[in-house]
Amino acid sequence: MPDVPTPFLGAITEVCIVTPDHQKTMDGLLRLGIGPFQVFDFTPLTVPTRRFRGQEGDFELKVCFAKQGDLVFEIMQPVGGNSLMAEWLHERNNKEGVQHIAFDCKNIPMTERKREMQARGFEPAMEGVWKGRKGTCTFCFFNTEASVGTVVESIDFSGDWEDPEHEWYPEAPKEQSVEGGR
C-alpha cells in the first residue's frame, strides 16, 4: 500500500461544466436554481499570459460563473485555440459535463501549489493570468485526469481583485462579485 501524502488541496471552491453551448448550460442550471451568471470572455486581452502543455497558449474561452453558497459553478465553452476544454469535448463527441474541480489549496502561494502538485507527479497542463479591473487571478489546471478521472484546478486571486467587465445572465443580483466564492 502506498504512503498517503499530507493533504493540502483544501476546500472545493468550484465545479466546472464544459459545454459546446454555454447558453444552453446556463439555462439548464437556472432551472435547477443555480444562477444568475457572470459571463466573461477569456481572450488574449483579458488573459494575456496563457500556457498549454508547457508551451505558449492560444486558448480562448467563454467563461460563466454563478455562486451557490460558498461554491462557484463555472461553465466553460472553448471558442478558439488549443485547450483542455476543447480536447475534453472532442473526446466526448461534444457532450457537456463536469470536467474539473477547483481547490483553494489552503491559500498557499501558487508557486508552492505547483511545486507540491509536481512533487506528487502532476504537471501544469493549462494555466494563465486573468486581468481584473484591478488585480489578477492566476489559474492552473493539473494533468490529474488519468489518475483521478477529472482535472484539478487551483485558483489564486490577488488581494486587490475587482471583476473585469462582463455581462449578467439573465440579470444581475444585488451582490456582484465572483471572487468571494472562488
Side-chain angles (χ1 to χ4, degrees):
M1 179 189 257
D3 292 335
V4 178
T6 305
F8 88 103
L9 287 177
I12 293 174
T13 57
E14 176 187 278
V15 174
C16 179
I17 296 171
V18 170
T19 180
D21 183 348
H22 72 283
Q23 188 70 50
K24 174 184 172 259
T25 305
M26 282 192 297
D27 288 340
L29 288 172
L30 283 165
R31 287 198 327 264
L32 292 172
I34 298 170
F37 290 87
Q38 290 176 283
V39 181
F40 298 92
D41 291 307
F42 278 27
T43 67
L45 293 175
T46 61
V47 185
T49 304
R50 298 171 293 160
R51 296 198 53 81
F52 180 69
R53 302 210 184 279
Q55 305 294 318
E56 185 174 335
D58 63 353
F59 56 86
E60 295 189 28
L61 307 161
K62 183 69 77 170
V63 182
C64 313
F65 299 106
K67 287 185 186 179
Q68 186 79 10
D70 289 337
L71 186 65
V72 171
F73 280 85
E74 178 180 43
I75 297 167
M76 292 184 120
Q77 177 184 334
V79 295
N82 296 304
S83 67
L84 294 178
M85 297 76 202
E87 288 178 353
W88 195 85
L89 284 174
H90 177 74
E91 292 167 3
R92 288 160 181 76
N93 296 316
N94 255 8
K95 180 78 173 126
E96 69 272 2
V98 174
Q99 185 263 350
H100 71 264
I101 300 170
F103 293 85
D104 68 6
C105 295
K106 302 178 183 176
N107 298 313
I108 63 174
M110 184 61 79
T111 54
E112 290 181 38
R113 298 175 198 199
K114 287 182 185 180
R115 188 171 33 249
E116 185 66 36
M117 289 295 282
Q118 288 170 321
R120 294 166 189 247
F122 303 110
E123 293 294 324
M126 185 172 132
E127 56 190 310
V129 179
W130 179 30
K131 294 186 335 186
R133 266 191 203 126
K134 287 185 182 174
T136 59
C137 170
T138 303
F139 58 88
C140 185
F141 299 89
F142 296 93
N143 67 341
T144 57
E145 189 172 13
S147 296
V148 300
T150 195
V151 173
V152 169
E153 181 189 18
S154 191
I155 306 162
D156 187 21
F157 285 93
S158 64
D160 61 345
W161 175 261
E162 287 184 17
D163 292 337
E165 292 297 318
H166 60 279
E167 298 175 6
W168 281 99
Y169 182 79
E171 60 186 28
K174 292 178 184 162
E175 188 177 317
Q176 298 186 0
S177 175
V178 71
E179 187 272 332
R182 287 180 44 106

